[in-house]
Amino acid sequence: MSPSLTESVQETVTPQGAVVLSEFLPHVASAAIGVWVARGSRHEIAGEAGMTHFLEHMVFKGTARRSARQIAEALDAVGGIIDAGTSREHTNFYARVLAEHLPLACDMLCDMLLHSTFRDEDVRLEQGVVLDEIRAYEDEPGEVVMEQLMETLFGRDPIARPVLGDKEVIRGTGHDVVRGYRDRYYSSDRILISAAGQVDHAQLVELMGPLLGGLPRTALPANAPAPQARSRFRVTIREQEQAHLTLAAPALPFGHPDRFVLAALNNVLGGSASSRLFQEVREQRGLAYGAASWAEAYRDVGLVGVHTAMDPAKFREAAAVVGDILRDLAGGGVTDQEALRAREQMKAGLFLGLESTYNRMARLATSKLYLGEVTPLKVVMRMVEEITPERVRELARRLLAPERFAVAVLGPGSPEDYRVDWVTVPAFAAV
C-alpha cells in the first residue's frame, strides 16, 4: 500500500511581505519549524564574502535575554534541536521539537534573529571558530576540489565562491559590521517561515508574530544575470595520497519541467549503488573506493557532476572509464531497465523522505522560494510517474556529452600525470 499523498497545507502572507507555510501531520508527535532567509553566498559582493555564513553563526552567540549557553541548553533540556545552515541561495534557521515545545522553539528563533547582541568579544571568538572551519575544509581534498570545480565551471561569478567565505573578510569583521549586515538584508520580504508536524497554523502565525512584525520591508534588488558555464580543465598539484577527479556540466535550474527526469538520469549515472559509475569504477574494476554523481539546481542554473578519488597510478584508467560512461549515455545508451529502476528509486525516496517532519518543512519552503507556490505531492508523484526511458535518454543526449564538462583535478605529482584523453580544452595548473 502506498502512503497517502493527502496534504493539509496553509499559507499566510503578512502585510510586510513575509510568508508563513505549515503542513499539519496528525500522525506525528513532533514539529519542525524553519525560518528561511532568501540570502546566500551568491548574493554577497566581494567585500562581504562569508558574511552570510558568519551571521548564521553569530545569532547563536547570545541575545538580550539569553546567553550562548542558554540558547544551547534550552532545547536540549526538552529533547529538541536547534541549528542553522547557509547555502549559495538561502540561509535556514530551524528547530525540531515535540509539539508541546513549539512555543519555546518559536520564541528562541524570534529572539535570536531579532535581538542578537553581536558583542565584540563574541565576534572575536567566533572569528576563530569560522577561520578554523575554513582551515578544516582546506585540509579536506574532496572539499577543495569541489570548490575548484565550481570556479572552473563558472569562473568568477559569485555562485562559484565558497559559502564559508574569505578569511580576510572574516578577520576584518566587527560587531557593527555584523549588525549592519543583518539590518540590511534580513527584511520581511526575504523571510519565509515553514513548519510541518503537529502544527496549528493560526497558532504558528501568532507565535512567530515578533519576527513577522519586527523586520522592515525593503525593495528586493533585481536578479543578477544567470552564470555562464564554460568547459575548462584545471589541474592543481598538491602532495596527498589520492588523486581527485571531478567534473561538472551545466544542467537544469530548479523550476525546469524536466527536473525529475534529471534526478532519474543522475541515479543511472552515479546516484546509487546500481549506477554505472559505482558498478564500473568500483565494483567491476576496483579503481576507486567510491564514484558518484550529483545534480544541483539553483534559481537560474543547474549542474550535473561526477567525483571519484583513486591511487594516482590508476587515474588515467579511471578517467577513461568515466569518459566511456558519459559517451555511452550521451549516445543513447540508457537502457529501459536502468531508467525504470531509477524511477522506482525516486518514488521510494520520495515516500521515505515524507516520513521526516524536517524534510516536509524544507519541501514547503524550497518549493515556495523557487517556484512561487507549493507543488502538491500528487503533482510531484505524477511528474515522477511520467518519467519514461526515452525522456531519460533524450536528457542524457542533451547534458552528458563529455565536451560539455569542466574538469578539475587535484593530486600529487605533475600536471602531465593527469592528462584526460577526452578533454579537448587546454589545461591550466594551479599550485
Side-chain angles (χ1 to χ4, degrees), residues 208-219:
M208 297 304 293
L211 183 63
L212 296 171
L215 292 173
R217 179 169 187 161
T218 61

Side-chain angles (χ1 to χ4, degrees), residues 77-396:
V78 296
I81 63 168
I82 188 166
D83 209 341
T86 304
S87 73
R88 299 185 193 274
E89 294 193 314
H90 53 69
T91 310
N92 174 23
F93 304 87
Y94 63 91
R96 293 181 61 199
V97 291
L98 292 176
E100 63 194 271
H101 301 303
L102 184 61
L104 172 62
C106 292
D107 180 63
M108 289 186 64
L109 288 168
C110 291
D111 190 27
M112 291 161 58
L113 292 172
L114 288 173
H115 305 302
S116 287
T117 52
F118 306 128
R119 299 185 308 164
D120 277 330
E121 53 265 46
D122 293 329
V123 171
R124 287 193 295 271
L125 284 173
E126 207 60 24
Q127 282 172 324
V129 171
V130 172
L131 290 171
D132 277 342
E133 185 179 1
I134 294 173
R135 294 184 191 105
Y137 270 73
E138 292 173 343
D139 282 343
E140 290 290 337
E143 300 291 348
V144 172
V145 77
M146 286 296 185
E147 296 294 353
Q148 292 178 346
L149 178 64
M150 288 294 288
E151 183 180 304
T152 306
L153 182 64
F154 292 119
R156 295 186 178 277
D157 190 277
I159 200 169
R161 291 200 198 112
V163 171
L164 298 185
D166 181 87
K167 289 179 183 176
E168 292 308 310
V169 172
I170 302 305
R171 290 190 181 103
T173 296
H175 81 276
D176 54 337
V177 176
V178 181
R179 183 180 301 279
Y181 191 85
R182 192 274 311 273
D183 292 346
R184 279 196 308 277
Y185 299 121
Y186 276 41
S187 55
S188 61
D189 41 352
R190 285 186 172 95
I191 295 292
L192 185 149
I193 296 167
S194 176
Q198 279 283 348
V199 178
D200 176 86
H201 186 78
Q203 182 193 31
L204 176 67
V205 173
E206 180 180 356
L207 290 171
M208 297 304 293
L211 183 63
L212 296 171
L215 292 173
R217 179 169 187 161
T218 61
L220 293 176
N223 289 326
Q228 297 301 304
R230 57 190 180 173
S231 297
R232 297 188 72 185
F233 180 32
R234 172 174 181 162
V235 179
T236 302
I237 300 305
R238 180 167 122 164
E239 291 309 311
Q240 57 192 42
E241 290 297 318
Q242 289 189 306
H244 287 252
L245 170 65
T246 60
L247 48 147
L252 309 177
F254 193 96
H256 197 283
D258 286 337
R259 62 188 182 276
F260 295 106
V261 182
L262 175 57
L265 176 59
N266 178 59
N267 277 351
V268 173
L269 174 59
S272 69
S274 62
S275 67
R276 291 282 188 96
L277 284 169
F278 191 85
Q279 285 297 311
E280 296 191 29
V281 174
R282 171 176 163 153
E283 296 295 281
Q284 296 182 26
R285 302 171 189 262
L287 295 172
Y289 176 72
S293 67
W294 74 96
E296 292 182 35
Y298 301 104
R299 172 182 54 81
D300 50 6
V301 71
L303 60 90
V304 57
V306 170
H307 173 251
T308 184
M310 74 297 294
D311 184 323
K314 298 178 180 179
F315 177 85
R316 289 192 179 181
E317 183 181 357
V321 172
V322 171
D324 289 342
I325 291 170
L326 291 175
R327 276 191 293 266
D328 181 64
L329 296 178
V334 178
T335 68
D336 287 4
Q337 181 183 23
E338 286 176 317
L340 295 175
R341 182 173 62 233
R343 187 178 69 188
E344 292 306 305
Q345 289 171 338
M346 290 179 60
K347 288 167 61 177
L350 173 64
F351 283 126
L352 291 172
L354 292 177
E355 296 181 2
S356 161
T357 55
Y358 177 87
N359 287 348
R360 296 187 82 127
M361 177 273 288
R363 188 190 84 84
L364 297 182
T366 54
S367 184
K368 182 68 176 182
L369 284 169
Y370 285 103
L371 305 177
E373 62 182 7
V374 177
T375 306
L377 285 170
K378 289 181 179 179
V379 174
V380 172
M381 183 54 69
R382 185 176 72 243
M383 295 174 75
V384 173
E385 292 282 8
E386 290 173 350
I387 296 171
T388 64
E390 186 49 45
R391 290 183 69 192
V392 179
R393 281 190 283 269
E394 175 57 31
L395 195 61

